[in-house]
Amino acid sequence: MLSMKGSFWAVVATLSAAAGAVHAADEPDTRTLSELRADLDARKTTSVELVEAFTRRIEAIDRNGPQLRSVIAVNPDALEQARALDKELQTKGPRGPLHGIPVLLKDNIESADPMPTTAGSLALIDNLTKRDAPIAANLRAAGAIILGKTNLSEWANFRSRSSTSGWSAVGGLTKNPHVLDRTPCGSSAGSGAAVAAGLAPVAVGTETDGSIICPSAMNGVVGLKPTLGLLSGKHIIPIAHSQDTAGPMTTNVRDAALLLAALVGDAPACDPPSAGCAKSDYTKGLVPTALNGKRIGVLRFEPGRNAYLTPVYERALNHLKEAGATLIEIKMPDLPGLDEAEETVLYAEFKADINAYLAGSPAKIGVRTLDQLIEFNKKTPAELALFGQDGFEKANGMPPLTDAKYMTARADGKRLAGVQGIMKMLGENKLDLIVAPSTGVAPRVDSINGTRSPGSFTSLPAVAGYPHLTVPMGELKGLPLGMSFIGAPWSEDVLLSAGYAFEQRAKARITPKFTPTLETEQKAFAPAVPSL
């Protein structure tokens, strides 16, 4: 609950002390995956040392200091995994780029480690499935170490329309490491904040509509929502199979490409398999000249909305032009009915998909249906302390997936967002890809009214199932801003190469300073900093 005890100055003193504690902690490890790989191979460091260092930083920054609450659980087997991988490196050499590298997973992704997969809900606190999601198995096969699980907006931000992003009953409120009373966005809040704060080299998030892109942009990291079907969604707590996908969240584009390849593994779950969607190496096109000759469509927010973005966005667009790209101003097509179609699909699929997941959960889990989950929340005050479950209740009233309204809505959504949306913009203007501001600046946390979105361009690629990349493009008063790269299905390599070339010119990523607040003019009032 929001704690209003004590004076404003006591709260400020606490926050200032917390921010100061950051400097006393171990400095963040800023090495890229390639640099870590080289140091591991040269025996300049070991995987055991990496796990120990990141665990210390989690203790100093996440549990203490500013108390980011971005990591919901640390894997007790991580050191054992690290020792085994160090030994294997000495005797057999590396399996690949991620051999011996610690990775964080969002806590809706199952892993066989002794950590429950909770989606942030107390109803799943005993959800120890002892199995790997295919993407977790692929990471393990690549030699990655599952360091722990990240906090998230509970149930991937689907329980209520007035939810507080980054909050879960299990993990509390994740804070934005740049400015602590600003939202980290969600639902992959913990993954974004943890990578930004240097609690792990890379993390995995999931997205249905905006849940990788928004927290990546607002925490100042790179995030990629892949084409739907590139990565398996099996053993990931669902919202809706028509849009759900996991994806990389990293400090730079090359690391996102390396992590994506590891997540894909040797047997990608592409749909259709003949689409040629998977690449064995997503780093091949990562060259500074990748933008030369590209035709890029430019989307903008409506005039007056997020006006502070204009100079930052213009500088970012100039970087694209300087790199040899031709920019074409375009407008979003009028797509009446898209929002309604998406809403129908998400609520209907959530009911079907979560009922199937709960029915197959371990016997110790007391809730086996959405109806039972709703009743559990009503009887558990901690669950409904900040916001309700209107989303769950609406989903529970939806008809089955054989219903004609659902099937029409799904077809309409894919057509409107894909063929008549992204593909029309690309085709009519002969574009290679589209860029846009990812979202606005992170708003202050509001545990009364819920998180208010400054707007985004996530819905078209989310509903269509097309890839979407965000890369840091600048900042405003220490708060990061991201640029989106959107393309046709299976064009991850195109987006990554464009994002890489932009990144090399813009060099726009900023380091978190753990600033308590920007609202110094409100000294006479209690700050909106939830204490959970």
Side-chain angles (χ1 to χ4, degrees):
M1 296 177 65
L2 180 64
S3 174
M4 303 300 288
K5 295 180 180 179
S7 70
F8 168 76
W9 295 111
V11 176
V12 169
T14 300
L15 284 172
S16 298
V22 174
H23 303 295
D26 290 349
E27 288 299 314
D29 191 332
T30 59
R31 286 175 291 181
T32 66
L33 288 183
S34 297
E35 290 167 341
L36 286 170
R37 173 80 275 121
D39 286 350
L40 284 165
D41 292 347
R43 310 298 191 266
K44 292 181 179 179
T45 190
T46 67
S47 295
V48 166
E49 289 172 345
L50 292 180
V51 168
E52 290 175 339
F54 286 118
T55 302
R56 284 196 304 271
R57 187 157 175 83
I58 290 169
E59 183 65 24
I61 305 302
D62 214 61
R63 306 293 192 260
N64 296 289
Q67 297 182 356
L68 293 181
R69 294 190 175 101
S70 64
V71 178
I72 211 166
V74 174
N75 183 7
D77 288 351
L79 270 177
E80 182 182 344
Q81 293 176 19
R83 292 188 188 97
L85 288 162
D86 279 337
K87 184 175 181 180
E88 182 180 328
L89 179 63
Q90 293 174 358
T91 56
K92 299 180 180 179
R95 300 182 193 180
L98 265 73
H99 185 114
I101 302 292
V103 178
L104 288 168
L105 299 181
K106 184 177 178 180
D107 195 31
N108 58 353
I109 303 169
E110 293 184 10
S111 77
D113 309 287
M115 298 179 289
T117 303
T118 70
S121 171
L122 295 170
L124 296 185
I125 199 71
D126 293 318
N127 190 31
L128 278 158
T129 65
K130 300 180 181 179
R131 64 190 179 192
D132 277 333
I135 61 168
N138 288 343
L139 287 173
R140 212 180 294 278
I145 299 164
I146 308 301
L147 180 63
K149 297 287 194 76
T150 56
N151 200 9
L152 68 161
S153 307
E154 187 171 321
W155 293 106
N157 229 7
F158 199 70
R159 202 184 77 191
S160 173
R161 286 181 175 272
S162 60
S163 64
T164 299
S165 284
W167 179 88
S168 74
V170 174
L173 179 68
T174 299
K175 299 174 186 175
N176 189 313
H178 296 275
V179 180
L180 299 175
D181 66 351
R182 296 281 172 152
T183 181
C185 202
S187 62
S188 303
S191 294
V195 170
L199 306 187
V202 296
V204 181
T206 67
E207 173 162 326
T208 305
D209 187 341
S211 287
I212 288 174
I213 299 302
C214 184
S216 295
M218 288 191 179
N219 287 284
V221 301
V222 172
L224 174 64
K225 182 201 81 73
T227 303
L228 185 70
L230 179 59
L231 302 179
S232 170
K234 188 177 182 181
H235 301 328
I236 299 177
I237 297 174
I239 289 180
H241 59 267
S242 288
Q243 294 181 206
D244 289 352
T245 181
M249 300 174 73
T250 65
T251 60
N252 63 85
V253 174
R254 183 174 293 277
D255 283 3
L258 291 168
L259 182 55
L260 179 64
L263 290 167
V264 168
D266 294 329
C270 299
D271 182 17
S274 60
C277 51
K279 311 289 182 183
S280 59
D281 184 356
Y282 286 95
T283 67
K284 286 183 178 179
L286 303 188
V287 294
T289 57
L291 284 165
N292 190 34
K294 291 289 187 294
R295 288 177 59 85
I296 299 177
V298 177
L299 288 173
R300 300 177 184 272
F301 284 120
E302 295 175 2
R305 185 172 194 183
N306 300 330
Y308 57 81
L309 274 172
T310 300
V312 180
Y313 192 40
E314 288 298 335
R315 284 195 298 272
L317 295 175
N318 284 334
H319 287 308
L320 299 178
K321 288 189 284 188
E322 291 165 359
T326 299
L327 305 187
I328 298 94
E329 296 283 339
I330 61 174
K331 291 186 178 181
M332 290 276 285
D334 187 23
L335 301 169
L338 176 61
D339 292 343
E340 295 80 0
E342 180 182 22
E343 183 175 291
T344 296
V345 169
L346 295 189
Y347 282 116
E349 290 190 359
F350 180 76
K351 179 182 180 180
D353 293 353
I354 201 63
N355 277 335
Y357 182 86
L358 292 173
S361 63
K364 196 173 182 180
I365 302 301
V367 294
R368 318 301 294 182
T369 65
L370 177 56
D371 192 60
Q372 292 177 3
L373 178 57
I374 290 170
E375 290 304 311
F376 173 88
N377 290 337
K378 289 178 180 177
K379 297 174 182 177
T380 309
E383 283 291 341
L384 303 182
L386 296 185
F387 54 88
Q389 53 181 339
D390 51 285
F392 278 9
E393 289 164 349
K394 182 170 182 175
N396 205 34
M398 295 298 287
L401 300 189
T402 54
D403 181 75
K405 182 180 179 181
Y406 158 76
M407 290 189 287
T408 298
R410 179 173 176 175
D412 286 349
K414 297 295 182 185
R415 171 178 52 81
L416 289 167
V419 177
Q420 294 179 221
I422 293 173
M423 295 309 293
K424 183 177 181 181
M425 287 188 284
L426 291 171
E428 287 186 348
N429 298 284
K430 298 181 174 59
L431 304 175
D432 295 288
L433 66 147
I434 297 165
V435 297
S438 296
T439 185
V441 80
R444 294 182 77 189
V445 171
D446 186 342
S447 60
I448 303 298
N449 301 302
T451 301
R452 298 181 180 181
S453 171
S456 73
F457 291 88
T458 63
S459 287
L460 286 192
V463 177
Y466 294 1
H468 186 174
L469 172 74
T470 182
V471 180
M473 72 168 178
E475 55 88 23
L476 180 67
K477 295 185 177 181
L479 289 165
L481 296 164
M483 173 179 270
S484 283
F485 297 77
I486 299 167
W490 317 118
S491 64
E492 282 81 4
D493 54 341
V494 175
L495 301 188
L496 287 164
S497 63
Y500 177 82
F502 168 75
E503 176 187 63
Q504 299 309 297
R505 285 183 169 269
K507 300 186 185 303
R509 181 172 180 262
I510 59 174
T511 302
K513 295 182 178 178
F514 306 92
T515 303
T517 183
L518 299 178
E519 316 306 326
T520 54
E521 70 276 12
Q522 298 184 17
K523 290 181 179 179
F525 303 97
V529 182
S531 176
L532 297 162

